[in-house]
Amino acid sequence: KNQIDDSGCESIAKALKVNSTLSQLDRRENKFSRVGFSAIALALHTNSALAQLHVDDNQIDDDGSMAIAEALKVNKNLTRLDLDANRIGDDGCCAIATALKTNVTLKYLELGDNKIGVIGATAIAEALPTNISLIHLCLRYNFVYEKGCVDLAKMLHTNRTLTHFNLSGNHIGVGGAVALAEVLKHNTALTQLHLTDNGIGPEGGAALAEGLKLNRSIVSLALDSNGIGAVCGDIVQALGPQSRVEVLELYDNNIGIAGAHRIALGLQSNKVLRELDLWSNGISDEGCVAIAVALKSNRTLEHLNLAANKLGDEGCTALADMCLTNKTLTAMELNWNSIGDDGAEAIAAALRTNEHILSLNLNGNRIGNRGGTAIMNAIKANRTLSILDIAKNEFTREVGEAIYSTKHIQITV
């Protein structure tokens, strides 16, 4: 971030025309517009070295996008183009889409946080069936809506190169989710799909669960902030023997106790999931107990996020009991709950014998001197825990300093 303006960009462009060694140019978070960027785009007509161009968070508009589109038609070296957080609309996106029909080198394209609507999304959808190079496409937080999503989904039925697709924050709704669910049943190339904040709801979530039952390629799936509710449990249960999903993000979905029980049922038989994010879902102690019991027999989950879930001592004690037998879980995030001294003492007892937990977050709970002292004594005996965040609790400064004095691990108090 250097506050480079258009004149600075023009100077860089002149250098690029003769430079034959620079492979990456990062000019993000500056203040140049289409004028400066167009100069850089023109330089790419002849530059034969630059492979990555990062110009996110500037003031590039449709005219600037049209300039880089012309460059993409002839440039044979650029593999990554980051245009996030600019002022690109449908016209600029359409120009880039046209270039993608013939470009054979670009692999990563970031167009998030712009002003792209249905027309731009449809243009991308029409270009990618013939594109043979693009593997990563980010359209997050634009204005694709259901219609644009449906068109993109049609493209995914035939495209065999795209592996990473981010459509978060595009208001795709139930219809968009249903269209993508059909894609999941047949597409074998897509490995990462991000659909955060799209108003998918329970109906859209149920459709995605059905699609996941047949999918054999998705490794990472983000469905945060979609109001899916208890149906999130059906999504976890859909990850059967055929599934390859290792990372599942479901935070802020109002899962509740009923959904937590359904998630627990899925975890009992799941054999691939490594990371599960359930932050802020109103799971409470009862739901937490169900998940903890399920994890006693689970042998794959490594990272569990239960932050901000209204957990108290009962839920924490259940998790501590699980840690006595579970040998795969390495990280737990229990921050911003209501865990007190009893829960902290239970965790401390588990830490004395557990040899697998590497990271534990207890920030923002209600742990007092008794619980803090128990944790301090436990980490003195534990030789595997490497990161502990126990800040913003209710123990005294003296207890906090005593905990911090245990220097063999990284501690935040």
Side-chain angles (χ1 to χ4, degrees), residues 319-332 346-359 378 381-385:
L319 290 169
D321 183 56
M322 173 270 297
C323 287
L324 295 175
T325 55
N326 181 289
K327 299 185 184 305
T328 54
L329 199 65
T330 60
M332 280 198 301
I347 285 287
L351 288 175
R352 288 181 175 276
T353 58
N354 182 284
E355 298 178 349
H356 306 282
I357 296 292
L358 304 176
S359 176
N382 183 289
R383 286 294 176 265
T384 53
L385 187 71

Side-chain angles (χ1 to χ4, degrees), residues 10 33 40 102 142 197 216 252-253:
E10 289 172 341
S33 66
I40 290 178
T102 54
N142 279 287
D197 192 16
R216 289 173 171 77
D252 189 27
N253 265 298

Side-chain angles (χ1 to χ4, degrees), residues 131-201:
N131 181 282
I132 60 172
S133 62
L134 200 69
I135 62 174
H136 176 110
L137 175 62
C138 176
L139 292 171
R140 64 185 176 88
Y141 290 96
N142 279 287
F143 304 92
V144 170
Y145 299 119
E146 179 180 325
K147 174 62 169 64
C149 181
V150 169
D151 289 341
L152 289 164
K154 290 178 182 177
M155 172 271 296
L156 290 171
H157 279 283
T158 56
N159 180 281
R160 292 293 177 266
T161 57
L162 202 65
T163 60
H164 296 60
F165 188 33
N166 190 335
L167 203 56
S168 296
N170 271 288
H171 312 285
I172 68 171
V174 175
V178 170
L180 289 171
E182 288 302 310
V183 170
L184 292 177
K185 295 177 182 179
H186 308 288
N187 183 290
T188 58
L190 209 58
T191 60
Q192 293 194 21
L193 180 60
H194 295 258
L195 299 175
T196 296
D197 192 16
N198 266 306
I200 289 172

